[in-house]
């Protein structure tokens, strides 16, 4: 069998939708799991709606998701001459015709066809004597009867009656090729073997299939996958939460978690919830995708993300946390990366997203002397200071500054002081953090490191 080639073909007209990410992922998994190629084609032929900002967002989105094209991306508009040449070829083969119907005539025929429940028929279907100087469109000369049958890997066998398929416009009167023509030519020229796309394109498929056949080109396999819905079963929109890929990055999800989660929308491998790219590639078959739309569940996504956060490298999480803090306008300095990297292991098991990590990282980044909150100042009476002083001395002699040893040491200290831990925790934690949220005391000390911890205790003692 020849090499599998898949593609994602987004139109750059706005934000990159999460559905585009999922469709890209299925194409990528299918190709990569079979030693094939995954390609990106930007469908920028709609010159009014396509923007450079949207193109940039697409490539940022693909780069973030780590879904890279195996060949330089194709820009559809750049291939317009080729599309026009194929239209000429279809004309020469008698599979297309020039149609000089005026907009009014077209409208009238459209209404008549509807009223009589028949297909739209142009009087130019079998005529060639129009005036080439007058505006015309080129239409595909489709069959008048019989069925067009598409064998779809997800939807099964889908049948259309030819008498309902109008003669599709291939070339507009302004000389621009239409979407259905361009898609067929590009997929053919790019060697695409499997067209995996949203099921909103299913109705275009019989028309495209007829064009392939008229050109004598081999058909690719088609697979129309269901769209993503919101938790209420309605088509995903802003109302449900984030819809743009960039928003998910800003919400603190990791790309590997997104891939893992998105793969499970209308597809799955038994009950497996957490799996790697390699596993997904080995398991994924587009034929196993369900026809039913799936619902985006932010709780499940957070659960999957929490798993990948635990496996993620600490310095990477530190960098992402720093970026999240910078987006909030935090005033950061150069030492912060090292501090964050040291603190991450003690913070990450409580955080489901990078944003939650950033919420907790504040105490690590506070500058000495840390300003103490009122509660801590209240605890620093004479007895409190004396106790903190004794702990400071003890900790300064401490040799193994790790979380388990610190935990044992704090417990021993409380026992020696003859008090419960409740008498010690708030005081010490307040002195270290000024009252910012932080994990339990041993973790807070471990996250800050010895030098910083002792320094902060000194500062509190000297207030
Ligand atoms: N450009 C089309 C879209 O963004 C996709 C075309 C295709 O996948 O065939 O919906």
């Amino acid at each position: 069998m020849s090499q599998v080639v898949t593609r994602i073909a987004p139109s750059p007209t706005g934000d990159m939708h999460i559905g585009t990410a999922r469709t890209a992922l299925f194409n990528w998994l299918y190709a990569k799991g079979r030693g094939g190629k995954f390609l990106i084609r930007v469908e920028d032929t709609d010159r009014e709606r396509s923007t450079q900002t949207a193109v940039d967002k697409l490539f940022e989105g693909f780069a973030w998701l780590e879904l890279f094209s195996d060949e330089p991306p194709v820009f559809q508009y750049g291939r317009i001459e080729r599309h026009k040449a194929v239209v000429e070829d279809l004309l020469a083969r008698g599979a297309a015709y020039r149609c000089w119907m005026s907009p009014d005539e077209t409208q009238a025929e459209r209404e008549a066809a509807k009223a009589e429940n028949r297909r739209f028929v142009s009087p130019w279907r079998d005529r060639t004597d129009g005036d080439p100087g007058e505006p015309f469109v080129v239409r595909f000369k489709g069959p008048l009867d019989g069925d067009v049958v598409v064998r779809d890997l997800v939807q099964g066998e889908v049948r259309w009656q030819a008498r309902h398929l109008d003669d599709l416009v291939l070339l507009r009167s302004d000389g621009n090729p239409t979407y259905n023509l361009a898609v067929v030519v590009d997929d053919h020229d790019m060697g695409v073997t499997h067209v995996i796309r949203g099921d909103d394109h299913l109705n275009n498929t019989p028309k495209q299939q007829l064009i392939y056949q008229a050109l004598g080109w081999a058909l690719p396999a088609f697979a129309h996958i269901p769209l993503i819905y919101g938790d209420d079963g309605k088509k995903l929109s802003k109302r449900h939460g984030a819809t743009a890929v960039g928003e998910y990055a800003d919400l603190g999800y990791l790309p590997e978690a997104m891939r893992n989660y998105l793969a499970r929308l209308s597809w799955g491998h038994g009950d497996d919830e957490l799996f790697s790219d390699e596993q997904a590639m080995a398991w994924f078959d587009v034929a196993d995708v369900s026809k039913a739309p799936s619902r985006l569940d932010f709780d499940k996504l957070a659960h999957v993300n929490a798993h990948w956060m635990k496996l993620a490298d600490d310095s990477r999480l530190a960098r992402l946390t720093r970026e999240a803090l910078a987006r909030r306008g935090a005033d950061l300095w150069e030492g912060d990366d090292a501090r964050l990297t040291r603190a991450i292991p003690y913070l990450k098991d409580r955080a489901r997203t990078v944003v939650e990590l950033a919420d907790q990282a504040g105490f690590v980044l506070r500058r000495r002397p840390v300003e103490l909150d009122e509660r801590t100042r209240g605890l620093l009476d004479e007895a409190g200071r004396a106790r903190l002083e004794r702990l400071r001395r003890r900790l300064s002699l401490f040799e193994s500054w790790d979380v388990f040893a610190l935990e044992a040491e704090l417990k021993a200290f409380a026992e020696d002081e003859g008090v419960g831990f409740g008498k010690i925790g708030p005081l010490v934690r307040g002195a270290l953090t000024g009252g910012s949220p932080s994990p339990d005391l041993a973790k807070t000390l471990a996250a800050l490191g010895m030098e910083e911890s002792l320094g902060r205790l000194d500062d509190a003692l000297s207030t």
Side-chain angles (χ1 to χ4, degrees):
M1 218 188 104
S2 63
Q3 189 189 35
V4 167
V5 180
T6 64
R7 52 50 163 198
I8 180 76
S11 305
T13 54
D15 285 332
M16 178 175 179
H17 195 269
I18 194 70
T20 303
R22 203 270 306 245
T23 303
L25 177 71
F26 280 11
N27 276 286
W28 183 76
L29 288 174
Y30 191 75
K32 295 286 140 187
R34 286 162 183 75
K37 282 195 290 193
F38 163 75
L39 308 178
I40 296 177
R41 179 172 73 234
V42 179
E43 303 214 315
D44 54 352
T45 45
D46 185 336
R47 300 315 288 166
E48 263 158 41
R49 294 181 60 224
S50 300
T51 64
Q52 187 55 45
T53 313
V55 173
D56 294 344
K57 279 186 188 167
L58 282 171
F59 285 105
E60 269 166 38
F62 288 128
W64 180 69
L65 288 160
E66 297 162 317
L67 302 178
F68 296 104
S69 183
D70 289 314
E71 283 175 12
V74 170
F75 287 82
Q76 191 161 59
Y77 187 61
R79 294 179 34 81
I80 190 164
E81 293 310 322
R82 166 71 177 148
H83 302 146
K84 289 182 185 172
V86 172
V87 173
E88 285 303 320
D89 187 16
L90 284 164
L91 282 166
R93 287 166 183 258
Y97 59 93
R98 293 186 178 83
C99 170
W100 279 271
M101 287 172 92
S102 68
D104 284 351
E105 285 168 334
T106 307
Q107 179 68 15
E109 168 61 9
R110 207 179 295 289
E111 278 162 22
K114 199 170 172 203
E116 293 160 30
N117 189 28
R118 59 168 176 81
R119 108 209 258 291
F120 176 103
V121 185
S122 161
W124 296 97
R125 221 179 117 93
D126 297 305
R127 285 174 61 182
T128 50
D129 55 343
D131 178 355
E134 291 297 311
F136 61 85
V137 300
V138 176
R139 287 186 185 273
F140 184 74
K141 194 170 184 177
L144 294 174
D145 44 43
D147 285 351
V148 181
V149 180
V150 170
R151 288 187 180 77
D152 190 278
L153 292 174
V154 175
Q155 307 292 330
E157 196 176 280
V158 193
R159 197 171 278 272
W160 286 262
Q161 292 180 319
R163 65 189 190 87
H164 290 310
L165 299 173
D166 294 351
D167 283 351
L168 173 77
V169 174
L170 301 173
L171 201 69
R172 295 196 192 86
S173 56
D174 61 6
N176 282 315
T178 56
Y179 156 74
N180 278 301
L181 184 268
V183 158
V184 169
V185 177
D186 292 349
D187 282 339
H188 170 264
D189 291 1
M190 290 163 73
V192 172
T193 59
H194 292 74
V195 172
I196 303 171
R197 61 186 168 195
D199 63 12
D200 49 339
H201 283 289
L202 184 61
N203 279 326
N204 287 320
T205 311
K207 305 172 196 170
Q208 296 177 8
Q209 185 165 301
L210 288 169
I211 300 175
Y212 276 97
Q213 285 162 343
L215 288 161
W217 290 347
L219 282 177
F222 290 104
H224 287 87
I225 62 175
L227 303 182
I228 305 175
Y229 285 59
D231 51 5
D232 55 1
K234 302 221 168 82
K235 207 176 149 188
L236 189 68
S237 71
K238 291 263 172 240
R239 201 160 39 81
H240 298 103
T243 53
V245 172
E247 292 176 83
Y248 287 85
D250 291 349
L251 286 168
Y253 298 106
L254 299 178
E256 60 269 40
M258 284 311 283
R259 292 195 297 273
N260 183 165
Y261 178 72
L262 289 176
R264 295 188 53 235
L265 298 179
S266 297
W267 178 79
H269 181 262
D271 290 331
D272 292 313
E273 288 198 10
L274 306 168
F275 44 76
S276 65
D277 291 335
E278 290 68 29
Q279 286 171 309
M281 282 174 196
W283 295 336
F284 183 80
D285 187 340
V286 76
D288 296 334
V289 172
S290 136
K291 272 199 250 185
S294 49
R295 297 179 183 209
L296 195 63
D297 180 333
F298 285 91
D299 255 356
K300 275 197 183 146
L301 172 57
H303 169 74
V304 172
N305 202 63
H307 166 78
W308 289 101
M309 296 259 299
K310 289 194 184 84
L311 298 183
D313 186 61
D314 291 335
S315 60
R316 174 179 167 219
L317 289 176
R319 179 176 53 75
L320 293 171
T321 303
R322 175 190 236 283
E323 286 166 10
L325 289 165
R327 272 200 298 277
R328 295 179 189 180
D331 173 23
L332 300 159
W333 58 299
E334 43 177 297
D336 287 345
D337 274 356
R339 284 162 168 252
L340 280 171
T341 304
R342 187 176 52 211
I344 294 293
Y346 308 105
L347 305 179
K348 73 175 180 183
D349 54 340
R350 295 209 309 180
R352 301 199 305 171
T353 65
V354 173
V355 166
E356 288 181 13
L357 210 47
D359 291 342
Q360 291 181 43
F363 82 93
V364 180
L365 300 177
R366 297 196 68 171
R367 307 273 180 278
R368 289 183 53 197
V370 172
E371 196 183 322
L372 304 180
D373 63 344
E374 212 175 296
R375 177 163 182 244
T376 307
R377 284 203 302 273
L379 293 170
L380 275 172
D381 55 9
E382 208 175 313
R385 275 172 198 279
R387 177 165 287 146
L388 199 60
E389 181 69 59
R390 288 194 290 279
L391 178 68
R392 196 240 172 254
R393 200 172 317 125
R394 204 157 156 164
L395 290 177
S396 70
L397 302 171
F398 206 59
E399 272 160 19
S400 51
W401 199 267
D402 76 67
V403 73
F404 297 108
L406 285 164
E407 213 164 78
E409 186 67 5
L410 288 165
K411 228 164 123 194
F413 176 70
E415 266 166 31
D416 292 349
E417 293 280 306
V419 293
F421 201 73
K423 277 270 175 235
I424 293 172
L427 169 70
V428 183
R429 203 210 281 255
L432 290 169
T433 68
S436 315
S438 66
D440 69 42
L441 192 49
K443 281 187 181 169
T444 301
L445 286 163
L448 289 171
M450 185 170 185
E451 197 187 321
E452 180 73 15
S453 296
L454 295 179
R456 290 189 185 191
L457 294 182
D458 286 341
D459 294 343
L461 286 166
S462 63
T463 52

